[in-house]
Amino acid sequence: MSKLNIDQKTIFGLFADKKSDFLIPDYQRPYAWEDAECQTLWEDIFNFAFPDNDYSKFDSDSDEYFLGPIVTFKNDSNKMEVIDGQQRLTTLMLLLRAFYEKFGMMQDENSKKTRENLEKCIWKTDEFGTPDKSKLKIDSEVATDNDKDEFLNILKNGSAPENMKSKYAINYRFFQKQINEFLQKFPSYFSYLPTRILNNCILLPIEAESQDTALRIFSTLNDRGLPLSDADIFKAQFYKYYTQKGEKDDFIKRWKAIEEQSAKIFHPITGTPMDELFTRYMYYERACRKIKSSTTEALRKFYEKDSYALLKKDETLENLEALADFWNDVSNQDKERFSDEVLRRLYVLNYAPNGMWNYFTSVYFMRNKDADGKLDDAKFCAFLTKITAFIWTYAVTNPGVNALRTPVYAEMVNLVEGKDIEFAEFKFEAATVKSMFNNYYFSNGRPITKSMLTWWAFNDKNQPLLSLESVFEIEHIFARKRQEHENALSNTNLLESLGNKSILEKRINIRASDYRFEDKKKYYKGFTNAKGQNKEGTQIIELQNFAKNKNDFTETDITARHDEIIDAFIGFLKQNDLLK
């Protein structure tokens, strides 16, 4: 059983201990606290130390305020390497330094004593308790934090001029402002606040015997601050591995590059961009292990198997780099790497009804990339086309991303084994699909609606590639407002038919009052307004053609277009050999 040293301590008891020598290691995140967190910390501490703005209501013998845990382990350099509590620890150091700066010129006995106590928390001391102001009690080696030197300079010099723009400097100036305001309001009791912070605010230092133990402890804590992500934990394992190989500096450089790249291209709903990269790679490793189970393990649980064995292989980091490069080029619609047809397929998949295609495509890339990280364009295009047809259909016939796991996970295994993607056991009956599509209610709130409309727009081979940065919404060609005024549709359900909808740029704001088709046409084509400003039309070719060739859009048009879309999609399934 791993040994732990756990002993509740005051801030002074922890910081002033001669053995306290904190290190924020390379693999930690950059400092991230902002005004909101600092404001909350200040208000909480102030209200604790001065109940109802009355210093006399505080009981120094029994009142305590718990600030949270600090998880560390003693590294080979005998420093307390911080695994959890980094943000809180850093902020408290800035707060104490701001107090110390204000006490610098005060000569009364209480102020002198407070100043001496603050010194012992900020700087290392000799055997007589005299501070050595060249040796701080905390150091930062965070590899991806370009501002860590500002933090150390603030602690050394006690100043953060306005030209310092880091979060450290901004938060230090915030505390200076709060302290100045406090001094003006309570000049006679100024020494009480830092004293009560030092002596009555409590931390729970948890010192583990190893980094692994510290990481396990961290994963069980509900941290009030900014906890490490799964990817941060993985970084620690990589860091140890490459340090042992003598390649620490190279690893830090490579990791930072992947991290910056991932932040630009991944925007997950939960977790960090790096977590998303590890998730996409996880599906490849699952497939290599022939895992077809529809139950997907949590990200950290998957990678921690066999003492993080997967993160102790050179190829893992290399594969992550290649995968990040691939998705970066997808995000940038790189025309040197991909053909126009592939980019068109990728664009349509960007509007998929769920995110499974990202994992499927990641597995395809990892299995089929050549030595330069490139794919055979024709084969890749065929793969993208087939998974589009399957995922779109499955979203209607078997809704829910969980249902999609069974067929897709099996095909992921087939991929890594070099087999063709067939979905042999999951092919569709043409009549059943057509019936379900005809009876499906394609409301705007259902993701498959925009998926189908995007697929249909690109079914026209003349449709040019669109920018992923452009925002598209769903347009009712026969406007709802028009039905309210004219009651021209015998069946109001036709308003929500695929035949009456198209994707349209959000910037083309067709006002609700412009319900007539004639008014819509000018927006589709583009026009010059009364001020002489040119308003560009849509890039959707079908809508451009409607504006050129149609005088109206009626119930007959809606019905005919709906049938055309569904028939074309059934043909799309047939072309991809997905029909029984």
Side-chain angles (χ1 to χ4, degrees), residues 4 71 84 206-208 212-221:
L4 300 175
V71 181
D84 186 33
I206 304 173
E207 185 178 338
D212 288 339
T213 302
L215 287 168
R216 285 199 299 273
I217 294 167
F218 156 75
S219 67
T220 66
L221 293 176

Side-chain angles (χ1 to χ4, degrees), residues 28 96 127 135 151 169 214 276 293 325 340 376 439 455 532 556:
Q28 274 283 12
L96 297 184
E127 58 186 308
K135 298 179 180 178
F151 169 54
E276 178 64 20
S293 170
D325 284 341
D340 183 68
D376 180 284
N439 291 291
W455 170 82
T556 301

Side-chain angles (χ1 to χ4, degrees), residues 261-272:
Q261 190 176 53
S262 296
K264 294 177 183 177
I265 57 180
F266 300 131
H267 308 284
I269 296 174
T270 59
T272 68

